Amino acid sequence: MHVLIVEDDLDLGRALQQSLAAEGLSSEWVRRGAEATRFVVRTSAYDCVLLDLSLPDGAGLDLLRRWRQAGLSVPVIIITAQSALDLRLAGLEDGADDFVLKPFVIAELIARVRAVVRRYARQASDVWRIGPLEIQPRAYTASIDGKPLELSLREFNVLLELARDHGAVVSKRDLSSRLEPMGDPVDMATIEVHVSNLRRKVGAQRIVTVRGVGYMLAVVGET
């Protein structure tokens, strides 16, 4: 899971990065709204954004509103010391997925991050079920009809990213960025090899190739 932190406070920004890393979540940290927009628009690699409302170059709510108007659907959790009810309601109306007041307990914040990401992935628990296919992201396991799949780590991550948007096409460019959010994107030839191997293990009918675009995880054999 890859998180974008938009927070101008130096101590809190560092603490959030360290806490997320301790839980196995990678992150990038920016301190200005303009920087955050460049990061969010240029890549779909983020699973969640932690957004402070008071930024040096503008209000976080204005930033969120522009993102939603532009069609950006990444889950956003507002983190702020401002506790006014009308502000919280405005944030939710403008497209926030959750609202956490400072000071907060890091463990609770991370639980909320996991919860909004599950909701975004249209999943209700830590077990993702897509027909007879079952994926447990935190355990790095997958099975079909209860039979475990022997997947390499890269194959599992490809399956996981396709499962986030099952029933929709994930472009090769997006898949490339999601697989290495902190480094150089995975080259297209390598992605094709991993998808080919994965298709053999989960069934060719489950991974549909859309020529010139990308791949889609189809729901098949649902009972």
Side-chain angles (χ1 to χ4, degrees):
M1 195 181 298
H2 193 44
V3 178
L4 177 65
I5 303 167
V6 188
E7 169 60 63
D8 67 324
D9 185 277
L10 289 172
D11 291 336
L12 181 56
R14 292 192 190 101
L16 283 172
Q17 279 209 301
Q18 292 170 359
S19 299
L20 291 171
E23 292 292 323
L25 280 64
S26 61
S27 66
E28 290 185 69
W29 170 31
V30 298
R31 301 179 63 201
R32 301 177 67 85
E35 231 183 326
T37 294
R38 285 197 296 272
F39 273 69
V40 169
V41 169
R42 82 181 186 193
T43 177
S44 61
Y46 299 107
D47 296 291
C48 184
V49 176
L50 300 178
L51 175 65
D52 186 21
L53 289 187
S54 300
L55 299 171
D57 57 344
L61 278 186
D62 292 338
L63 188 65
L64 174 61
R65 195 176 299 117
R66 290 197 298 271
W67 288 352
R68 295 310 190 217
Q69 289 172 350
L72 297 172
S73 59
V74 59
V76 174
I77 297 177
I78 291 175
I79 52 174
T80 181
Q82 303 177 52
S83 60
L85 176 61
D86 57 349
L87 184 66
R88 296 203 303 272
L89 293 175
L92 295 172
E93 287 289 335
D94 287 336
D97 295 88
D98 204 347
F99 207 106
V100 179
L101 292 177
K102 300 175 184 176
F104 46 76
V105 177
I106 292 291
E108 179 186 359
L109 178 66
I110 291 174
R112 289 176 179 269
V113 168
R114 295 191 190 281
V116 299
V117 170
R118 286 199 301 267
R119 290 200 298 269
Y120 179 70
R122 301 187 298 279
Q123 302 294 339
S125 71
D126 284 331
V127 178
W128 298 9
R129 294 183 177 87
I130 305 168
L133 172 64
E134 183 177 289
I135 303 172
Q136 297 187 49
R138 298 179 70 178
Y140 293 91
T141 62
S143 62
I144 294 177
D145 290 323
K147 298 176 182 178
L149 296 170
E150 297 295 331
L151 304 177
S152 69
L153 179 58
R154 182 68 83 191
E155 291 164 359
F156 178 83
N157 286 334
V158 170
L159 178 62
L160 191 65
E161 294 307 326
L162 295 178
R164 291 186 194 280
D165 298 304
H166 69 273
V169 178
V170 179
S171 73
K172 288 184 179 180
R173 184 181 299 276
D174 281 353
L175 194 54
S176 171
S177 297
R178 292 184 194 183
L179 291 173
E180 288 292 345
M182 296 292 285
D184 294 330
V186 180
D187 67 84
M188 300 304 174
T190 300
I191 287 178
E192 289 174 2
V193 171
H194 290 310
V195 169
S196 177
N197 292 336
L198 183 61
R199 184 179 275 122
R200 287 202 308 272
K201 295 178 180 181
V202 304
Q205 75 277 22
R206 281 194 171 82
I207 300 180
V208 178
T209 299
V210 179
R211 290 191 179 279
V213 182
Y215 306 99
M216 179 181 72
L217 182 65
V219 182
V220 297
E222 191 159 14
T223 58

